Amino acid sequence: VLVTDQGGLPLPGVAVRFSGGQGSFANSNPVVTNANGFATAPTLTANGVAGAYQVTASVVDSSPGLATNFNLTNLAGPPANLL
């Protein structure tokens, strides 16, 4: 995600937390925006449930809470058993 100030200029060094979804994010959550204001989500390990879900990226300790949502989809995995 891109974090900017009110004038649209990128903000480096801002902590962003990623949450939600059907799985878990790697331990490097929250992450800090780079020199260009971008924060890259840590690796998300999806669970085995197929379907659509929503992930939220939020600026840590912002008031009012600054956040954005985006949609992801888990695809069905390979068959577990043949009977």
Side-chain angles (χ1 to χ4, degrees):
V1 296
L2 173 62
V3 179
T4 63
D5 65 13
Q6 291 178 343
L9 297 174
L11 290 174
V14 176
V16 176
R17 181 176 310 281
F18 292 86
S19 60
Q22 297 292 327
S24 60
F25 287 96
N27 293 337
S28 56
N29 196 15
V31 296
V32 176
T33 56
N34 65 16
N36 297 315
F38 285 99
T40 301
T43 301
L44 173 68
T45 302
N47 66 14
V49 178
Y53 58 96
Q54 191 171 72
V55 170
T56 300
S58 55
V59 173
V60 176
D61 296 330
S62 62
S63 180
L66 299 174
T68 190
N69 298 314
F70 50 99
N71 297 314
L72 300 175
T73 302
N74 272 356
L75 301 176
N81 296 307
L82 287 175
L83 302 175

